[in-house]
Amino acid sequence: MKYVTLNNGVKMPILGLGTFRSKDEDAYNATLHALKCGYRHIDTAWIYGNEKAVGKAIKDSGLNREDLFITTKLWNTHQGYESALKAMEESLDNLGLDYIDLYLIHWHKSYEKSIESYRALVKLYKDKKTRAIGVSNFNIHHLMNIVDNFDIAPMVNQVETHIELQNHILNDYCTENKIQLEAYAPLMSQDISKLLNNEVMIKIAAKHKKSVPQIAIKWLIERNIVVIPKSINNSRIESNFDVFDFNLSEEDMLEIRKLNKGNKIFPEFDNVEF
Ligand SMILES: NC(=O)c1ccc[n+]([C@@H]2O[C@H](COP(=O)([O-])OP(=O)(O)OC[C@H]3O[C@@H](n4cnc5c(N)ncnc54)[C@H](OP(=O)(O)O)[C@@H]3O)[C@@H](O)[C@H]2O)c1
């Protein structure tokens, strides 16, 4: 496993399991199977409704807590100072954990809400309820609001990133400000057929004797971007993790770069109505 080091020195596995739309038994089985296969990083969120199932799988895995990296997220309706502090307690209780590894503001709602919520995250970080804090669905202008107002910069920004939405400029800004970019929907989520049928990706996958999803995941790892593909299927959980025995060439990377279209599957961050 490859790790990235966050701006506070915490090490984060570059590859983890996503759990969006994984419900109850599926979330439990997928998390447990992933942990058996060698995953040490699980991404959940209060709004996914599966924190309890993920927490039970963590417990049943028998792994040492300090070897795991668990992310959860502050939901939009819980934004604000006091409500964020309370929301963290609920997530910890759901997960059955004393602390989490990364707590993210799930979506930008307003500049004011971001400030209030981030103030709570800083307190939670200082109180050691979470080893790292960050944001999700933030563009450069949303990040600047935090960077300009706090001594502690976000450690991570989790955003939709895949072959059709490559986020080069956002990633450059994040790198300059020591904010780790993390890719959600790396397999294009519900539009995965666009990825699986992409001819350039099919050609590169055949060359490396790998699958298209494996190339999509490795391309992000080569860019030093944390990646959290979701699956509830055991063999796909395994194959998504089997990406450390080959490297993409510079030519492969350039070919994939040309696939960027700025195509978003999830809402534009300034337009969320939930
Ligand atoms: N911060 C945010 O706002 C936000 C938003 C979206 C997602 N996320 C996080 O990012 C994670 C990943 O994003 P995502 O779940 O939207 O999409 P994704 O990981 O890009 O794609 C998941 C889809 O791909 C399928 N799949 C997985 N591996 C496959 C493989 N090897 N071959 C063929 N199909 C495969 C899955 O089906 P099966 O399960 O049947 O394999 C599922 O339908 C989420 O689970 C969540 O943890 C965060």
Side-chain angles (χ1 to χ4, degrees):
M1 171 55 66
K2 183 178 164 188
Y3 289 78
V4 295
T5 304
L6 305 181
N7 66 28
N8 64 343
V10 164
K11 291 203 184 313
M12 177 178 191
I14 199 161
L15 175 58
L17 178 76
T19 64
F20 179 41
R21 301 192 180 108
S22 307
K23 292 290 166 214
D24 307 324
E25 211 183 341
D26 283 340
Y28 173 81
N29 290 333
T31 303
L32 193 60
H33 188 69
L35 294 173
K36 277 189 185 143
C37 296
Y39 286 75
R40 292 294 177 264
H41 167 188
I42 309 290
D43 182 86
T44 181
W46 180 88
I47 194 65
Y48 300 168
N50 61 18
E51 286 177 323
K52 283 189 179 162
V54 167
K56 184 168 177 351
I58 290 168
K59 185 164 178 256
D60 292 351
S61 75
L63 291 166
N64 289 331
R65 174 66 185 93
E66 58 272 24
D67 294 334
L68 302 177
F69 192 99
I70 311 298
T71 300
T72 194
K73 312 183 193 89
L74 173 70
W75 185 239
N76 301 351
T77 50
H78 299 152
Q79 284 208 33
Y81 184 75
E82 293 295 342
S83 46
L85 296 179
K86 235 173 98 186
M88 168 61 122
E89 286 306 321
E90 189 181 334
S91 285
L92 285 173
D93 194 48
N94 285 342
L95 285 158
L97 299 175
D98 300 329
Y99 68 92
I100 59 156
D101 296 279
L102 176 63
Y103 199 42
L104 302 176
I105 297 177
H106 206 146
W107 288 86
H108 169 83
K109 287 301 291 175
S110 69
Y111 289 111
E112 295 76 17
K113 282 277 184 197
S114 287
I115 295 285
E116 283 308 291
S117 302
Y118 198 78
R119 205 158 61 79
L121 264 59
V122 169
K123 172 160 173 56
L124 292 166
Y125 174 62
K126 289 186 172 163
D127 289 349
K128 300 198 176 355
K129 298 278 182 188
T130 181
R131 294 172 67 229
I133 53 176
V135 295
S136 175
N137 298 301
F138 274 45
N139 269 323
I140 293 174
H141 53 291
H142 308 124
L143 288 167
M144 286 169 78
N145 179 41
I146 303 289
V147 169
D148 290 351
N149 282 293
F150 289 90
D151 292 338
I152 300 177
M155 287 135 210
V156 171
N157 183 24
Q158 184 186 110
V159 289
E160 178 185 342
T161 310
H162 45 71
I163 58 164
E164 291 196 9
L165 181 69
Q166 301 193 3
N167 285 325
H168 291 286
I169 293 170
L170 178 59
N171 192 30
D172 287 349
Y173 172 86
C174 285
T175 306
E176 276 160 28
N177 287 279
K178 300 190 170 56
I179 300 167
Q180 174 65 46
L181 203 77
E182 178 175 13
Y184 77 68
L187 307 179
M188 300 189 71
S189 203
Q190 66 265 32
D191 288 355
I192 187 169
S193 60
K194 285 192 190 168
L195 172 76
L196 297 178
N197 294 322
N198 184 290
E199 285 181 10
V200 172
M201 295 298 283
I202 291 171
K203 188 187 77 182
I204 296 173
K207 188 175 90 180
H208 291 281
K209 298 191 171 52
K210 287 281 172 182
S211 68
V212 167
Q214 286 171 324
I215 301 297
I217 292 165
K218 189 61 182 239
W219 163 74
L220 287 159
I221 292 174
E222 300 270 14
R223 290 178 63 199
N224 220 36
I225 293 175
V226 174
V227 52
I228 44 170
K230 170 262 174 186
S231 181
I232 53 168
N233 173 287
N234 283 357
S235 67
R236 293 198 279 272
I237 289 171
E238 287 162 32
S239 73
N240 291 346
F241 197 68
D242 181 20
V243 294
F244 295 102
D245 60 350
F246 74 107
N247 294 306
L248 294 174
S249 66
E250 245 174 71
E251 194 192 337
D252 297 332
M253 295 299 287
L254 273 174
E255 274 203 85
I256 299 174
R257 181 160 180 149
K258 288 184 199 146
L259 302 175
N260 194 14
K261 294 183 180 153
N263 271 354
K264 249 178 185 270
I265 299 163
F266 288 80
E268 170 55 38
F269 311 148
D270 281 314
N271 297 345
V272 293
E273 286 173 356
F274 45 84

